Amino acid sequence: MAGMRAAARGSSPNPRAEPLLRACLDLVEHLVRQSLDVTKAEVDTTLAVLERAFGELEDGVSAEATMNPASVALKNAIGRLKALRLELGAR
Protein backbone atom coordinates (compact mmCIF):
# COMPACT_ATOMS: atom_id res chain seq x y z
CA MET A 1 0.00 0.00 0.00
CA ALA A 2 2.83 2.38 0.80
CA GLY A 3 4.24 1.71 -2.66
CA MET A 4 0.92 2.64 -4.27
CA ARG A 5 0.70 5.90 -2.34
CA ALA A 6 4.30 6.73 -3.16
CA ALA A 7 3.78 5.90 -6.84
CA ALA A 8 0.96 8.42 -7.06
CA ARG A 9 2.69 11.17 -5.08
CA GLY A 10 6.33 10.91 -6.11
CA SER A 11 8.31 13.75 -7.65
CA SER A 12 7.82 12.16 -11.07
CA PRO A 13 4.83 9.80 -10.81
CA ASN A 14 4.74 6.96 -13.28
CA PRO A 15 1.20 6.62 -14.67
CA ARG A 16 1.72 2.88 -15.22
CA ALA A 17 2.88 2.23 -11.65
CA GLU A 18 -0.41 2.46 -9.77
CA PRO A 19 -2.42 0.02 -11.95
CA LEU A 20 0.50 -2.44 -12.01
CA LEU A 21 0.91 -2.28 -8.25
CA ARG A 22 -2.85 -2.66 -7.71
CA ALA A 23 -2.92 -5.80 -9.87
CA CYS A 24 0.09 -7.23 -8.06
CA LEU A 25 -1.41 -6.43 -4.68
CA ASP A 26 -4.62 -8.19 -5.70
CA LEU A 27 -2.63 -11.33 -6.54
CA VAL A 28 -0.77 -11.25 -3.25
CA GLU A 29 -4.02 -10.68 -1.33
CA HIS A 30 -5.46 -13.74 -3.08
CA LEU A 31 -2.52 -15.81 -1.84
CA VAL A 32 -3.00 -14.47 1.69
CA ARG A 33 -6.71 -15.40 1.72
CA GLN A 34 -5.86 -19.00 0.91
CA SER A 35 -2.59 -19.06 2.83
CA LEU A 36 -3.03 -22.52 4.28
CA ASP A 37 -3.55 -24.04 0.84
CA VAL A 38 -1.01 -22.07 -1.23
CA THR A 39 0.98 -24.24 -3.59
CA LYS A 40 4.47 -23.69 -4.94
CA ALA A 41 2.96 -23.41 -8.45
CA GLU A 42 0.73 -20.53 -7.33
CA VAL A 43 3.68 -18.75 -5.77
CA ASP A 44 5.73 -19.31 -8.94
CA THR A 45 2.96 -17.85 -11.09
CA THR A 46 2.52 -14.81 -8.84
CA LEU A 47 6.28 -14.33 -8.69
CA ALA A 48 6.50 -14.36 -12.49
CA VAL A 49 3.78 -11.70 -12.72
CA LEU A 50 5.50 -9.48 -10.16
CA GLU A 51 8.85 -9.85 -11.89
CA ARG A 52 7.28 -8.89 -15.21
CA ALA A 53 5.59 -5.88 -13.61
CA PHE A 54 8.93 -4.84 -12.13
CA GLY A 55 10.52 -5.12 -15.58
CA GLU A 56 7.77 -2.98 -17.10
CA LEU A 57 8.25 -0.29 -14.45
CA GLU A 58 11.99 -0.27 -14.94
CA ASP A 59 11.80 -0.37 -18.74
CA GLY A 60 13.52 2.69 -20.09
CA VAL A 61 14.94 3.80 -16.75
CA SER A 62 18.67 4.36 -16.81
CA ALA A 63 20.87 2.13 -14.70
CA GLU A 64 22.15 5.15 -12.77
CA ALA A 65 18.68 6.24 -11.71
CA THR A 66 17.55 5.25 -8.25
CA MET A 67 14.57 2.94 -8.06
CA ASN A 68 11.25 4.66 -7.55
CA PRO A 69 9.05 3.70 -4.57
CA ALA A 70 6.82 1.48 -6.71
CA SER A 71 9.84 -0.51 -7.91
CA VAL A 72 11.12 -0.81 -4.35
CA ALA A 73 7.73 -2.14 -3.21
CA LEU A 74 7.71 -4.71 -5.99
CA LYS A 75 11.29 -5.77 -5.23
CA ASN A 76 10.34 -6.30 -1.58
CA ALA A 77 7.32 -8.38 -2.56
CA ILE A 78 9.44 -10.42 -4.99
CA GLY A 79 11.94 -11.11 -2.25
CA ARG A 80 9.22 -12.29 0.12
CA LEU A 81 7.67 -14.53 -2.52
CA LYS A 82 11.08 -16.09 -3.25
CA ALA A 83 11.48 -16.81 0.47
CA LEU A 84 8.00 -18.36 0.55
CA ARG A 85 8.84 -20.49 -2.48
CA LEU A 86 11.92 -21.82 -0.68
CA GLU A 87 9.85 -22.52 2.42
CA LEU A 88 7.21 -24.38 0.41
CA GLY A 89 9.93 -26.38 -1.35
CA ALA A 90 11.29 -27.52 2.01
CA ARG A 91 7.93 -29.02 3.09
Side-chain angles (χ1 to χ4, degrees):
M1 291 302 288
M4 285 186 60
R5 286 191 300 272
R9 295 185 196 148
S11 59
S12 58
N14 182 337
R16 296 182 307 171
E18 192 170 352
L20 277 172
L21 283 175
R22 178 77 254 166
C24 291
L25 185 58
D26 288 346
L27 286 173
V28 171
E29 286 175 353
H30 177 73
L31 288 179
V32 169
R33 281 192 300 272
Q34 60 178 21
S35 61
L36 294 177
D37 301 320
V38 172
T39 66
K40 185 176 177 297
E42 291 168 321
V43 171
D44 287 340
T45 300
T46 304
L47 183 57
V49 171
L50 267 62
E51 288 174 334
R52 182 168 180 178
F54 178 79
E56 287 182 22
L57 282 179
E58 293 299 297
D59 189 34
V61 175
S62 69
E64 300 86 36
T66 58
M67 285 199 299
N68 63 50
S71 295
V72 171
L74 279 176
K75 267 307 219 195
N76 289 339
I78 288 168
R80 290 180 181 195
L81 283 173
K82 285 181 177 179
L84 176 58
R85 182 176 60 185
L86 289 174
E87 182 182 324
L88 288 173
R91 290 185 187 173

